[in-house]
Amino acid sequence: MKFAVKAWSKGRARAGVIQFVVGSRSNSPLHPTEIEIETPALLLSTRKGLPFFISPDLLPSLPSPDSHLLQFSPLHFLEGITPETISAIGGLHEMVGLHEYGFAAVPRDSIVCLPHCDGTNKLGASFETPFGRILIKPSEYMKFISSMKPNSWTSLADEVPAWVSEKRNKTSVDRTVRWLDDCIALSSKGGNIFGAIVGGSSVEERRRSAQEVAKRNVSGFSF
């Protein structure tokens, strides 16, 4: 993945372009293809790799290339097909047949899998899902990432609401940084890592979180 800034505004806004290589697997019917996505851009939300609102055969009718980056949560696969099966198929691109699209994995989404800070502990992050409250450890999360082979993925985070105590806020930053180190240590060569930035409503803790993530070998930040 490559990112370049194309223009700056008089304020802090900027326009750029992200380049992804897709269709690069040896068992893919396509040769490696580089796609460019101008930013800011829309990440299309998906359910198990497929958009909610449009069938795969109609995806090419959306404005291109802005619609070529799809977001999914590995936690959607806690039910149904196993990571081992997805890995045997060749990853998420192969399973859903969208070889010309980039996939960005995030631990949670805003509808189905929501973080539950009271259930989170030092072992892993807690999520409210349609099939109950689940504790996900970094090793379990990276098992999904390894099998699905996304183009980019966001590290596991201890997300907290704005009203938690200063001590709990600091703990969330410490855990998230530690889990980032765990995820990096467990990651394969594929995919680009986006470090999660946490800290609730505390500017100081969010700055500390960003500074710690910037010290790691990451491709970007996830707020």
Side-chain angles (χ1 to χ4, degrees):
M1 186 190 75
K2 298 178 181 178
F3 174 72
V5 176
K6 297 177 64 177
W8 292 84
S9 73
K10 293 182 180 180
R12 294 185 177 182
R14 64 184 184 179
V17 60
I18 294 179
Q19 295 175 325
F20 277 105
V21 175
V22 297
S24 59
R25 287 187 53 78
S26 59
N27 59 345
S28 171
L30 300 176
H31 295 295
T33 302
E34 188 175 83
I35 60 172
E36 291 189 350
I37 300 174
E38 294 186 354
T39 64
L42 173 67
L43 270 174
L44 294 182
S45 296
T46 71
R47 169 71 171 167
K48 295 187 175 181
L50 296 175
F52 291 95
F53 60 90
I54 189 170
S55 59
D57 58 306
L58 293 179
L59 273 176
S61 66
L62 296 178
S64 180
D66 286 342
S67 59
H68 275 63
L69 191 56
L70 308 177
Q71 176 180 291
F72 76 97
S73 170
L75 302 190
H76 292 169
F77 293 87
L78 288 171
E79 59 176 353
I81 190 169
T82 65
E84 291 80 6
T85 302
I86 298 174
S87 181
I89 293 172
L92 191 58
H93 291 83
E94 298 291 330
M95 189 183 79
V96 299
L98 297 177
H99 305 287
E100 296 182 338
Y101 292 80
F103 278 103
V106 295
R108 51 96 101 203
D109 60 27
S110 299
I111 302 174
V112 180
C113 299
L114 301 175
H116 185 268
C117 71
D118 291 338
T120 295
N121 57 42
K122 63 180 180 181
L123 298 178
S126 179
F127 296 88
E128 290 285 0
T129 72
F131 29 94
R133 188 178 299 170
I134 303 293
L135 185 73
I136 301 294
K137 301 175 183 178
S139 59
E140 295 169 334
Y141 179 66
M142 291 310 301
K143 183 178 180 180
F144 282 108
I145 296 298
S146 177
S147 67
M148 295 173 187
K149 303 174 177 62
N151 299 93
S152 68
W153 54 273
T154 299
S155 60
L156 200 62
D158 179 11
E159 296 186 61
V160 297
W163 55 82
V164 297
S165 66
E166 182 179 344
K167 180 180 179 180
R168 180 65 180 88
N169 223 348
K170 183 179 183 300
T171 298
S172 79
V173 174
D174 293 338
R175 282 177 180 167
T176 300
V177 172
R178 186 172 68 253
W179 291 344
L180 172 59
D181 289 335
D182 292 342
C183 288
I184 291 175
L186 292 167
S187 68
S188 60
K189 295 181 180 179
N192 299 281
I193 307 170
F194 279 60
I197 307 299
V198 295
S201 59
S202 169
V203 175
E204 180 181 346
E205 287 301 321
R206 296 193 75 84
R207 182 182 293 113
R208 184 170 72 91
S209 176
Q211 290 172 340
E212 287 296 325
V213 170
K215 296 176 183 177
R216 273 71 178 173
N217 183 23
V218 297
S219 299
F221 304 89
S222 177
F223 293 91

